[in-house]
Every structure is written in C-alpha cells, then in structure tokens.
Amino acid sequence: MQRARKPAHIAMFSIAAHGHVNPSLEVVRELAARGHRVTYAIPPQLADVVAGAGAEPKVYRSTLPTDDDPDAWGEGLLDNVEPFLNDAIQALPQQLAAYEGDEPDLVLHDIAAYPAPVLAHRWGVPAVLLSPCMVAWEGYEQEVAEPMWEPVRQTPRGIAYFERYQAWLDEHGMDHTDPDRLIGRPRRCVALIPRAMQPNADRVDPSVYTFVGPCQGDRAHQGDWERPADAERVLLVSLGSSFTKQPGFYRACIEAFGGLDGWHVVLQIGKFTDAAELGEIPANFEVHTWVPQLAILKQADAFVTHAGMGGSQEGLACGVPMVAVPQAADQFANADLLQELGVARHLPMEEATPEALREAVLALTGDPRVAERSAELRREMAAEGGTSRAADLIEAELRQP
C-alpha cells in the first residue's frame, strides 16, 4: 500500500487502563517510526508508557476508576457506563485546550475515548477507531444491544442518562449522532484482534471494519523469562490485571498442579491477593504479582486465563491451548469463542475445582487435534498483517479527501 505523501500529525486518545492502551502501542510506535508526529491524550498514570512508544503525551485529568480500584465500577449496566460519559464531559474541555493551535490531521481513538470522535467532528478531520475487542455486526443492535438496554431505558436513571448523553452530543454539533452509535458504529475501524475472535464475523461490514490481528511487538521493555531446564511442560495461570482478588481460585490451582510430574507452573496473582493467603507453595510453582506474559506464552504449553481479549489473542498467537475462566465483561463471550475454535475449554469460575482444572489442562495438551487447530489459527493470524497493516490502513485515511 502506498505510504502517505508527507508526515502528518496524528492524535491518539485513550484512558488510563493497560487493557485499552497496550493493544495500540505498537501501532503508535510504527507510525512514529514512519515519520509522523503522534500525540497522545492520556491521563498522567500512563504518560510515560505512551512516550516510550514515540508519542508526545497530551496529559489530561480523568475521573475514571483505575486498574488499582476495579470495585469502583459497581455492578449494574449503568454503573459501568455512566463513568465514561461523566469523564468525557469533563475531559473534552481539557483536550480542546491542549490541542488549541495544534489540531491534528487525523484522530485515532480507543473504544473508551468518547471525546475523540466529537473532537474530530469539531476539527473537521477523519476519525479511526482502534478497537481492542469485538465490533458490531449487522444485526447486533437487534440481537444484543436492544434486549440488554431496553429495561434500563424505561427507568428514570436510564432516561436521564440518555438525555444527558444526547444533549452533550448536540452541544458539540453532533445532533446527527445518537449515543448508541458514537463508538458502536464508527465511520472507520481498524480492529486489533484476529477475525477468528469476532462473533458473527461473516456479518461484519468490511468497508468499515478491517481485522489486522494483534499488534504485539517484542515487549522487550516488559522483561524476559527463562524456562527452567528441567521443565517438560510449562503452565501459565493469570487472571489479568483487574479481577485478580481470587485467593480461593489460586489455591485450587496449587492443589491441581502442585507436584504434577513434569509440569512447571507460573502463577500470577496480581496486586489484590497476598501470597501469604495461598499456603505452602509447591516446588514446581513460581508465584508473582506480575509477569511478562507474552514472553512466557512463547515458551508455554498451556494457559489458564480469564479470557480477556488481550490474553486470548496472545494465547492464540503463540499457539497455546487455554482453559478459560472468565471474570467479567466480554470475557464470557471470548471463552465461548475460544472453545468453539477448538483450542480451549470454557470452565466457569464456580466449576473451577482442582480436579476440573487439572483434567482440562491435561486433556487439551494431550489432544493432537487441539495442537493442529492451534497451529492453524496461529498461521491465519500471522497472515492478517498486524502492526504494519494497521499503519498502512491509517495512512490511507490521511489521503482521503
């Protein structure tokens, strides 16, 4: 694909959450390496991370809960979405001020960055969504969104939420856009996931959405990991970074795999569980609050995961069979998809006994059909293009009239 004729100013927008920033970091790095000036609107917690990828941070204050306080999101649907609207309303003036006299040629944004398409509209420049998760298919609204939202829309709180959302859009000249479509139906989207992880992929509009697969890079800045010389098999257990307060689950993993012949287990417990809660640690275990996940997966034989999109596609890219124990959000759908693909077992948390965990791991790693399917998906993902193709597609938007 032909490169853009001259370097451009590209502005990326996201929130202070690793799951929303990490998927696009390599794309930012590639665009900067191609000579573009990339600015990045980000809260201060991750300013150094985006700067390390070659972007200029445009720091703003956020009111969203962070990875350090996952319980602050509440439990209901409105509890989950209202913070994003509240944050957008207070963040947009900050971002307008930060870019005054320095408006970009193109806006890139994460799914959580509500102000970004509004700013792009005000500036009269294209906006491209970089989606770290599944996207809407034809029929999504009728099949998923409307049944989920209809009861909420009948409540006083729901009515107030949508009226406030629409008033905010109208205030900024987006009276042609309703709240359901601002992020959910972008003009253009580069999906940073493999097509295999997209539900109803055959009903996704290819003129709007392009799947490029994960854009992972070498992650050398996260550190390395060395497989023990005596390890015949390696198992990684991780529930990600947010929903990790699960000492009972970790104890079940210790009982399931402690002393299992030939197996070495890397157990990541996150920052919300104390290792002292786990009891005696078997000799074939190493326990950490954080690990360089991709470095381990490249050498692993199995992966017990919460099935977040990041971890799911890292497992697929490395050809590692997975036991999916979802915790929240899209993880349940991801777990089902992985199982349908033939490379994973969906094991609900309430069923994740030591016996079930051990049986699932041993069955997956002992099945040649799983190994064949894992290798096939790994090849398919590599062919989707990753970082380089994502950057090509973004540069193509710069040439649009």
Side-chain angles (χ1 to χ4, degrees):
M1 185 176 291
Q2 181 184 355
R3 297 284 175 86
R5 294 178 182 172
K6 62 180 182 178
H9 175 192
I10 300 171
M12 175 70 191
F13 293 77
S14 192
I15 62 172
H18 288 283
H20 290 263
V21 171
N22 288 346
S24 60
L25 275 181
E26 291 305 314
V27 179
V28 169
R29 195 187 311 277
E30 175 68 14
L31 291 169
R34 293 186 182 192
H36 299 293
R37 177 176 172 236
V38 183
T39 56
Y40 203 124
I42 191 73
Q45 297 96 316
L46 293 182
D48 289 345
V49 172
V50 303
E56 302 172 26
K58 295 271 192 177
V59 177
Y60 70 93
R61 179 184 61 83
S62 174
T63 60
L64 287 174
T66 66
D67 288 342
D68 292 329
D69 188 18
D71 293 337
W73 287 102
E75 297 181 357
L77 186 54
L78 280 174
D79 293 334
N80 296 158
V81 299
E82 275 185 326
F84 290 106
L85 178 59
N86 295 339
D87 189 57
I89 291 172
Q90 67 85 38
L92 189 142
Q94 298 180 60
Q95 293 167 355
L96 272 172
Y99 279 94
E100 186 174 5
D102 190 25
E103 291 81 6
D105 301 299
L106 175 72
V107 165
L108 303 177
H109 65 96
D110 175 73
I111 57 172
Y114 290 16
V118 178
L119 290 167
H121 176 75
R122 288 181 61 121
W123 293 329
V125 301
V128 178
L129 173 64
L130 298 185
S131 179
C133 58
M134 73 173 193
V135 299
W137 56 88
E138 297 307 314
Y140 171 83
E141 286 79 9
Q142 295 79 13
E143 297 166 16
V144 178
E146 290 175 7
M148 179 174 62
W149 277 105
E150 189 57 33
V152 176
R153 289 180 180 274
Q154 306 305 316
T155 67
R157 183 181 172 191
I159 293 170
Y161 167 76
F162 281 100
E163 287 180 347
R164 184 174 180 230
Y165 202 153
Q166 189 65 62
W168 178 65
L169 293 174
D170 294 349
E171 176 188 353
H172 295 284
M174 298 192 72
D175 48 313
H176 62 291
T177 303
D178 65 66
D180 293 327
R181 302 184 71 85
L182 180 71
I183 301 295
R185 287 294 182 181
R187 179 195 64 84
R188 187 71 174 96
C189 172
V190 176
L192 308 179
I193 66 170
R195 191 174 186 273
M197 285 299 295
Q198 169 63 41
N200 301 302
D202 59 328
R203 288 195 275 151
V204 172
D205 185 351
S207 70
V208 174
Y209 304 95
T210 304
F211 297 98
V212 300
C215 303
Q216 295 172 338
D218 63 11
R219 306 272 180 92
H221 63 285
Q222 294 184 352
D224 203 357
W225 182 82
E226 186 174 346
R227 180 177 178 135
D230 61 348
E232 298 174 20
R233 298 274 184 125
V234 169
L235 168 66
L236 172 62
V237 179
S238 171
L239 298 181
S241 59
S242 296
F243 301 97
T244 61
K245 194 174 183 180
Q246 298 286 357
F249 172 75
Y250 300 135
R251 287 193 292 267
C253 290
I254 289 172
E255 184 177 343
F257 306 110
L260 189 61
D261 189 36
W263 283 86
H264 180 81
V265 183
V266 182
L267 174 61
Q268 176 182 289
I269 60 174
K271 63 180 69 174
F272 306 116
T273 297
D274 189 334
E277 299 177 72
L278 306 183
E280 183 177 354
I281 305 299
N284 67 323
F285 266 68
E286 54 180 280
V287 179
H288 306 278
T289 57
W290 181 90
V291 297
Q293 180 165 287
L294 188 58
I296 297 171
L297 285 174
K298 288 178 178 178
Q299 306 173 66
D301 299 281
F303 183 22
V304 175
T305 172
H306 64 308
M309 184 58 76
S312 296
Q313 59 186 353
E314 285 177 5
L316 287 174
C318 295
V320 182
M322 289 169 272
V323 177
V325 188
Q327 306 294 298
D330 63 343
Q331 297 159 19
F332 299 96
N334 292 342
D336 286 337
L337 256 179
L338 290 169
Q339 182 165 277
E340 291 171 13
L341 288 171
V343 296
R345 179 85 63 86
H346 179 179
L347 190 62
M349 178 61 88
E350 62 271 17
E351 299 176 19
T353 63
E355 296 76 19
L357 286 162
R358 183 168 54 250
E359 188 276 330
V361 167
L362 295 179
L364 286 167
T365 54
D367 189 339
R369 294 170 299 179
V370 172
E372 291 170 7
R373 184 66 176 134
S374 296
E376 180 183 357
L377 287 168
R378 187 176 187 177
R379 290 191 296 270
E380 288 179 8
M381 289 174 61
E384 288 178 314
T387 301
S388 179
R389 189 177 183 211
D392 287 346
L393 293 166
I394 291 165
E395 286 188 326
E397 291 300 311
L398 290 166
R399 296 192 299 275
Q400 297 298 321

